[in-house]
Amino acid sequence: SVSITDHDKDTPSENPIFAEPNSGAQNDDADIFAAIICGDAAVGKNMWMRCDVNAHFGDSFDILGIVDDVRTNFDMASGVRYIVDDVPDLDWIKEVQSSWKPFIAGGFVLKFPWHTEEDVKLTIEKENQGEKSETEDRIDTYHEILLEGGIAFGTGEHPTTQLCLNWIKETIEEDQEIEMFLDYGAGSGVLGIAACTLNKDVKAVGVEIDVDAIRIADENAKNNDANMNSFLPRNIGGDDESASLIMKAIQRSAVDMLPEEMDSQVFDACAANILAGPLISLAETIAGMVKTGGKIGLSGILEWQSEEVVEAYSEYFNNVHVQDTSGGWVLISGERK
């Protein structure tokens, strides 16, 4: 594996090219926006002035040969400065897992298969500032969701997922008439599963362009006894990257495409935690799947991008506005016209 980081991170020379919240980058720069939505700027056109490259190799590799290849391919006049560290022979899966604790978001406790009930209790106790006497009473007020996680996005830690979980809890609890819930860009399926967990009468449908994520979302739904299935979208998308992913998925996988009867205004509520660029391009698609009066909760949006998203969805939804914020990210809500 290889990672590239800014050598000048946390110094006055740092150049935050990907415009993360609170980075101080100029938000009106078109190249930065392209990086945020993972376009060309994120895969080679943007680079720091000085980079640290970390690479892992087996102990039998010819390190001097690799260093010489780097010098030759990058036409470097001088030698490459490098250091070699030994990596301990550990069970790294267990090492990483041990650092992932259960966590609380929007009234849910999100946990992984290796977590015990004691782990969950300790997390709730910590959330309630160590009040052990009240922990037992409060456990029942949280809804547990078991996630496999893996390569799919959406394990709950990111502020946008937490914003969506807060919105789902509020929306489902306030409107017991919601029966059909759409999780657009489902990833791990955590948002649809959360809706089903709050109300067992809810049927959730996930839409996702990543075949592996669909499989993980379906497995997570099964493990949580959630009435949810995920599908490839019928609309292959307006951008070449999405269209290419969907066509490849159709060719190589037995994953189902969204049934035709669900590709219409049948959903009472929709959560979409993607990115601002794709959300804007999907405004008409999502509007075409939400009933009149149906609710939307959109995230994956930086504060400075909110105005464009609000404008795109105001054509189809009433009262489109920023409902909540967290760490430089926002959640936008509205009701279908």
Side-chain angles (χ1 to χ4, degrees):
S1 64
V2 178
S3 65
I4 303 175
T5 56
D6 185 1
H7 180 82
D8 297 314
K9 184 178 184 298
D10 297 327
T11 74
S13 300
E14 180 179 1
N15 179 23
I17 60 177
F18 294 117
E20 277 290 304
N22 305 319
S23 67
Q26 295 300 311
N27 294 330
D28 57 354
D29 189 315
D31 288 337
I32 291 176
F33 182 77
I36 285 292
I37 63 170
C38 300
D40 289 341
V43 290
K45 290 186 178 178
N46 273 3
M47 194 53 66
W48 298 284
M49 291 297 294
R50 298 196 298 170
C51 299
D52 289 333
V53 180
N54 292 281
H56 292 83
F57 300 97
D59 57 11
S60 62
F61 272 74
D62 178 10
I63 301 299
L64 291 177
I66 292 169
V67 171
D68 191 56
D69 284 343
V70 170
R71 183 189 61 79
T72 302
N73 283 291
F74 285 89
D75 196 23
M76 300 173 71
S78 59
V80 180
R81 290 178 295 174
Y82 70 96
I83 58 174
V84 177
D85 290 323
D86 290 328
V87 178
D89 185 14
L90 300 173
D91 185 336
W92 285 104
I93 293 178
K94 288 185 177 180
E95 286 292 313
V96 172
Q97 287 179 349
S98 67
S99 67
W100 291 358
K101 307 299 182 184
F103 48 90
I104 293 174
F108 300 91
V109 179
L110 281 71
K111 63 180 185 178
F112 296 98
W114 57 88
H115 290 145
T116 65
E117 285 305 310
E118 185 62 26
D119 292 329
V120 172
K121 287 181 181 179
L122 289 172
T123 298
I124 295 173
E125 181 181 318
K126 183 177 180 181
E127 179 74 7
N128 292 298
Q129 300 179 339
E131 298 171 3
K132 291 185 179 182
S133 61
E134 299 184 22
T135 297
E136 291 291 340
D137 294 334
R138 296 187 181 187
I139 284 177
D140 292 339
T141 67
Y142 294 97
H143 301 274
E144 292 186 22
I145 296 179
L146 174 65
L147 295 174
E148 292 291 341
I151 62 173
F153 286 99
T155 53
E157 290 183 290
H158 196 272
T160 60
T161 310
Q162 296 183 31
L163 286 168
C164 286
L165 288 171
N166 287 330
W167 177 82
I168 289 168
K169 187 173 189 295
E170 178 182 323
T171 301
I172 298 294
E173 290 183 346
E174 285 184 356
D175 188 352
Q176 294 296 312
E177 300 300 314
I178 291 176
E179 296 179 349
M180 294 288 289
F181 186 91
L182 176 63
D183 182 354
Y184 207 105
S188 67
V190 63
L191 302 183
I193 293 168
C196 294
T197 301
L198 289 166
N199 185 344
K200 293 298 183 182
D201 293 329
V202 168
K203 175 178 176 56
V205 172
V207 175
E208 174 61 58
I209 63 174
D210 187 308
V211 170
D212 295 313
I214 289 174
R215 293 189 181 121
I216 291 171
D218 285 344
E219 185 66 24
N220 283 334
K222 180 181 177 181
N223 291 339
N224 288 277
D225 195 26
N227 185 11
M228 177 179 181
N229 294 99
S230 294
F231 305 92
L232 289 167
R234 297 188 70 83
N235 180 353
I236 65 172
D239 64 279
D240 293 340
E241 184 180 4
S242 295
S244 175
L245 283 171
I246 295 168
M247 292 305 297
K248 288 178 181 177
I250 292 171
Q251 292 169 4
R252 72 180 176 88
S253 174
V255 173
D256 293 329
M257 187 173 286
L258 183 71
E260 188 173 356
E261 64 271 18
M262 291 184 180
D263 194 21
S264 59
Q265 289 183 266
V266 297
F267 292 96
D268 302 295
C270 168
N273 184 20
I274 316 177
L275 288 170
L279 278 173
I280 290 169
S281 67
L282 285 166
E284 184 176 1
T285 297
I286 290 175
M289 301 177 75
V290 179
K291 291 179 181 178
T292 299
K295 300 176 175 64
I296 54 166
L298 313 174
S299 199
I301 307 158
L302 292 164
E303 288 181 354
W304 61 270
Q305 298 169 327
S306 59
E307 187 174 332
E308 289 183 83
V309 178
V310 168
E311 182 180 354
Y313 281 81
S314 292
E315 181 178 347
Y316 310 100
F317 294 83
N318 290 318
N319 192 28
V320 182
H321 67 286
V322 173
Q323 179 174 318
D324 201 359
T325 64
S326 177
W329 301 88
V330 304
L331 180 131
I332 290 173
S333 63
E335 293 186 7
R336 186 70 168 94
K337 293 180 179 179

